[in-house]
Amino acid sequence: LFKMYLETVGRNATFLLNLPPNRAGRIDESLVTIMEDLGKLLDQRLGTDLAKTAKVTTDCTREAMGKGNYDAKNLTDGNKDTYWAAPDGKTSAVIELSWDTPQTVRYVSLMEYIKLGQRVRSFTIETSDDGTTFTPRATNIQTTTIGYKRIVPLNGFTAKSYEGDGYKVKAMRITINDSKACPLIQSLSVF
């Protein structure tokens, strides 16, 4: 079920499960237990957002207009109505996160500001254990669209459960290589 979650919700789709009631009008206890276990697993693996404690920077930001701004801090503020934006006409950008102490990371979650459309066509993720030298991650899966939500396992496999050590990093770089229009990212989370 966790793999299915990563391959649906994690790829900009809906997680639909067929959990019908039994003849007594109740959900079978075995299904309830399975769903409770999935909920615990989701909380364990995707429950602590390390991006909230990171220093987040971008290589470009659209100038503020009116009362709103498009700063990098909008990526981790938890507000669905704010977003980071690249300047008009710019179809690529770099977002960097850094931590004072190494963090163990396994997944990256990105969400575009979907009210203004899906824009990103290609992106890459890199990590650094020293804050200087970066290593590409998730190289064996397509990192094309983001859309409403994209969860990327940094090891590149949804089938492997990531019970291992993950990656110890002091920095992470997300490069938007191509976009239909200036990229607008509502949320960036790291787990």
Side-chain angles (χ1 to χ4, degrees):
L1 284 175
F2 184 73
K3 176 184 183 223
M4 187 185 298
Y5 181 87
L6 290 178
E7 292 177 352
T8 55
V9 173
R11 292 183 182 162
N12 197 23
T14 306
F15 188 48
L16 294 176
L17 297 174
N18 185 14
L19 302 173
N22 59 24
R23 291 180 186 212
R26 298 181 52 92
I27 305 266
D28 188 72
E29 281 302 314
S30 63
L31 290 176
V32 170
T33 300
I34 289 169
M35 297 315 298
E36 286 174 341
D37 290 346
L38 176 61
K40 290 174 188 171
L41 191 58
L42 288 171
D43 190 50
Q44 175 190 354
R45 294 188 181 165
L46 304 174
T48 303
D49 184 0
L50 301 171
K52 291 182 182 286
T53 62
K55 176 183 178 191
V56 183
T57 59
T58 59
D59 70 336
C60 62
T61 299
R62 180 184 296 173
E63 288 186 34
M65 298 168 59
K67 295 179 181 179
N69 70 66
Y70 307 102
D71 295 337
K73 68 180 180 183
N74 294 346
L75 290 164
T76 58
D77 68 0
N79 185 340
K80 65 182 175 85
D81 295 318
T82 63
Y83 56 94
W84 163 81
D88 284 331
K90 187 138 172 69
T91 58
S92 62
V94 178
I95 303 166
E96 286 197 19
L97 297 94
S98 61
W99 295 269
D100 293 332
T101 58
Q103 305 294 311
T104 302
V105 299
R106 294 174 178 88
Y107 303 94
V108 171
S109 175
L110 296 159
M111 296 175 73
E112 290 189 72
Y113 188 69
I114 209 68
K115 289 179 184 178
L116 295 178
Q118 183 171 314
R119 298 171 176 224
V120 175
R121 291 188 231 196
S122 171
F123 67 98
T124 54
I125 301 171
E126 301 168 283
T127 63
S128 173
D129 60 358
D130 62 6
T132 306
T133 307
F134 285 83
T135 303
R137 299 294 178 203
T139 57
N140 54 335
I141 60 173
Q142 290 187 358
T143 48
T144 53
T145 59
I146 294 172
Y148 174 75
K149 187 172 210 167
R150 181 72 189 269
I151 303 171
V152 180
L154 293 178
N155 69 355
F157 297 98
T158 57
K160 294 186 179 179
S161 63
Y162 245 134
E163 294 168 2
D165 297 332
Y167 299 102
K168 287 274 191 190
V169 305
K170 286 194 77 173
M172 179 178 289
R173 180 184 299 151
I174 296 150
T175 303
I176 298 170
N177 301 307
D178 187 30
S179 188
K180 295 177 188 177
C182 61
L184 311 173
I185 307 296
Q186 171 194 320
S187 174
L188 165 59
S189 298
V190 177
F191 308 100

